[in-house]
Amino acid sequence: MIVLITGASSGFGEEMARRFVRQGHKVIATARRAERLAELQRELGDALLPVAIDVTDAASIDRGLAQLTDTWKPIDVLINNAGLALGTEPAYQCSLDEWTTMIDTNVKGLVTITHKLLPAMIERNTGLIINIGSIAGNTAYPGGNVYGSTKAFVEQFTRNLRADLAGTGVRATNIAPGLCGGTEFSNVRYRGNDAAAAKVYEGTMPLTASDIADAAYWIATLPAHVNITHIEMMPTCQGYGGFTIKRS
Ligand code: 8X3
């Protein structure tokens, strides 16, 4: 298989790249940070092709895809992993710039690269798009505001892809993880406040990037007639809360 992964310079993306390469597949690892991708290639060898792409910039996606030689062009799996959360403040205290950054990456970036790769999958009548969503796309929580909404988009976009793709050989999946540690996710969300980020995982055994890679690899290696549409993953220490009622 040839697998293109966005946001492959760290976290889930990096771990998924390792998983697919170690299982004998080829990975096009994309991210903005070219030096991190080069490091990953030194670790994994020539089965990993580093391509610097900023998914928020359509021209950058075009430039990256134009670098692919014929042997790398028939992409079997697109993993839309690039994404981020910024902040946990209530909506009325948030920065519009941060909201826009999340929408640009989690929504616009994801649909742009999908739009560019989907026609070739349809033409070959085979392909799989794995979108990385979040439990925040299905469950509202204080401070989730735009982050959760972008992930709700990912959920519904995946379902709507299924609606259009039924009867073609192309599959689509949303993996929606809950609390997941060992990545930069919370450090980014808390804007570099590593102590606040670490607190998120205190006293828990969260999911790890390896757990997400397990799910992605399982989904990608199922028989061609099986489509996992949505998979929600939580660590066993996590569950659902109730509704909030503020009483005066
Ligand atoms: C990551 C999970 O709970 O921080 O998407 O929103 S959560």
Side-chain angles (χ1 to χ4, degrees), residues 133-136 141 147 151 177-180 185 189 238:
S134 168
I135 58 166
Y141 60 79
Y147 173 67
K151 294 301 184 175
L179 188 74
C180 188
F185 176 83
R189 187 170 208 173
Q238 189 170 29

Side-chain angles (χ1 to χ4, degrees), residues 189-209:
R189 187 170 208 173
Y190 288 98
R191 309 175 189 92
N193 182 342
D194 296 341
K199 227 175 160 36
V200 174
Y201 308 102
E202 229 170 61
T204 74
M205 188 177 284
L207 296 173
T208 65

Side-chain angles (χ1 to χ4, degrees), residues 11-25:
F12 297 174
E14 183 180 15
E15 201 52 33
M16 289 189 285
R18 283 197 184 97
R19 184 64 44 93
F20 280 93
V21 167
R22 287 182 180 153
Q23 295 300 323
H25 303 285

